[in-house]
Amino acid sequence: MKKYIIKRLLTAIPVLLMISVGAFIMMNLAPGSPTDLYVSPDATPVQIEATRRALGLDQPYHIQYFRWLGRALQGDLGINYSTRYPVLPILISRIGPTITLMGTTLVFSYLIAIPLGIISARKNGTWVDNLLTGGSFVGVSIPNFFLGLGLIYIFSVQLRWFPTGGMSELGGSGGFLSAIHHLVLPVIVLSAFYIANMTRYMRATMIQVYGENYIRTATAKGLASEVILTRHGIRNALIPVITIIGTDLPRLVGGAIVTEQIFQWPGLGRLTIMAIQQREYPMLMAITVLSAVVVLFANLLVDIMYAVVDPRIKYN
């Protein structure tokens, strides 16, 4: 296992380089330039060129990339164009809120979705199964922005139970209870999709497991249904579910762009929108590389979890 992990980590290095090159090319091929936001419409060519030089955009693209790569290897991800602040501290300050929001959402979603999927599979074909399956399709189909705006109108504007957005009250001291109060609506909006998606996968996997021969054998031996479920059913059903969890883990850093924008949550998703609008190339490069690192780490973690859940899986 150790050799496999080391090999995967070494393989990730050229993958990250290719991702950074692709991101750099796409950003520079996009219409417009960062200088458009920092010069007046009647600026002279001399002023435009001076602005490009100040932002480090006067060099050829390959030189700009290798300069960025050299600084990134030393821990310098560049300077934010609009504020002239280093990118790394800004990025670090936004990771915490995003992990708080997405981590709470994923844990809450799995704690609800996995039992619902098991119940739906055990009640296959009944009204309970039909109700849960129909609710899952609704949860997958409803757009985040529509659900978010609806919840804000009902619970924030009309009932005034929850704040309309942000992570803490203006002028308040914050604290754990305040953070929970601000988390409720965004977590509900995000969980609607994750609960629905995981319920569907858990149901389909459990139905397949219940049809296996070893489940029939355990039933024929007279084992209790709870024992069959815990010892034989859930563990074998977790292998496909782990794959879904692996695709959800990168969202811990990538965040939910639409939901964070609706609720004004100060995370990476909202920062991404601001960076795109202001053409903050260093910030976008940093977010892209960070997301790629998390995706690669999630894939490695999923492979390790496969071996933990299923002893038949060996990595040589």
Side-chain angles (χ1 to χ4, degrees):
M1 178 66 75
K2 291 182 179 179
K3 292 182 178 180
Y4 175 78
I5 294 175
I6 294 174
K7 182 179 178 181
R8 287 288 299 269
L9 293 176
L10 293 176
T11 306
I13 296 176
V15 174
L16 286 175
L17 287 175
M18 288 187 290
I19 291 174
S20 65
V21 171
F24 185 85
I25 292 175
M26 286 189 291
M27 282 187 292
N28 283 278
L29 290 178
S33 171
T35 56
D36 298 339
L37 301 176
Y38 306 110
V39 297
S40 60
D42 56 348
T44 65
V46 175
Q47 293 173 326
I48 295 176
E49 185 61 28
T51 304
R52 287 175 54 83
R53 191 179 303 109
L55 297 177
L57 301 174
D58 58 322
Q59 298 294 326
Y61 290 149
H62 64 281
I63 295 179
Q64 293 183 41
Y65 172 77
F66 284 112
R67 283 184 176 178
W68 173 86
L69 181 62
R71 292 194 299 265
L73 293 176
Q74 300 175 10
D76 181 9
L77 298 179
I79 302 295
N80 200 40
Y81 291 153
S82 57
T83 62
R84 308 306 295 173
Y85 288 156
V87 167
L88 186 58
I90 300 175
L91 197 66
I92 293 175
S93 67
R94 297 299 187 101
I95 291 177
T98 291
I99 292 180
T100 300
L101 174 61
M102 297 306 300
T104 304
T105 298
L106 293 181
V107 172
F108 175 74
S109 300
Y110 297 153
L111 290 177
I112 293 179
I114 292 177
L116 288 181
I118 295 173
I119 293 173
S120 182
R122 297 186 68 178
K123 302 293 184 179
N124 185 24
T126 65
W127 67 269
V128 176
D129 179 35
N130 294 333
L131 178 63
L132 293 176
T133 302
S136 298
F137 280 109
V138 172
V140 172
S141 304
I142 188 169
N144 280 358
F145 70 89
F146 180 81
L147 180 60
L149 293 176
L151 292 181
I152 289 175
Y153 178 76
I154 296 173
F155 294 103
S156 298
V157 177
Q158 297 295 326
L159 299 178
R160 300 183 182 275
W161 288 357
F162 300 103
T164 58
M167 193 174 177
S168 60
E169 297 177 359
L170 293 176
S173 58
F176 178 75
L177 294 179
S178 177
I180 294 297
H181 194 214
H182 286 77
L183 267 173
V184 172
L185 291 185
V187 166
I188 291 176
V189 171
L190 291 172
S191 297
F193 171 80
Y194 290 110
I195 292 174
N197 193 45
M198 181 58 72
T199 300
R200 292 168 58 230
Y201 277 102
M202 195 67 192
R203 173 187 179 274
T205 305
M206 287 300 298
I207 289 176
Q208 181 180 359
V209 168
Y210 276 133
E212 297 292 340
N213 291 330
Y214 56 83
I215 297 294
R216 298 192 185 97
T217 302
T219 305
K221 289 181 177 180
L223 294 179
S225 58
E226 291 76 12
V227 176
I228 296 175
L229 175 65
T230 55
R231 292 187 181 181
H232 303 284
I234 294 179
R235 184 167 185 176
N236 289 280
L238 283 179
I239 296 177
V241 172
I242 287 174
T243 305
I244 307 303
I245 296 176
T247 61
D248 291 339
L249 285 179
R251 295 185 175 92
L252 284 173
V253 174
I257 294 178
V258 174
T259 304
E260 288 189 6
Q261 189 72 10
I262 292 175
F263 289 97
Q264 300 298 295
W265 191 263
L268 285 175
R270 191 178 174 200
L271 180 63
T272 302
I273 291 291
M274 295 170 59
I276 293 173
Q277 292 174 342
Q278 299 175 4
R279 298 188 180 95
E280 296 284 357
Y281 291 168
M283 184 64 71
L284 289 174
M285 286 291 296
I287 294 174
T288 302
V289 173
L290 177 62
S291 301
V293 170
V294 176
V295 170
L296 294 173
F297 173 77
N299 290 334
L300 176 60
L301 183 61
V302 166
D303 290 342
I304 296 174
M305 291 173 65
Y306 283 153
V308 172
V309 173
D310 191 349
R312 297 171 299 177
I313 299 177
K314 302 292 183 181
Y315 297 112
N316 296 323

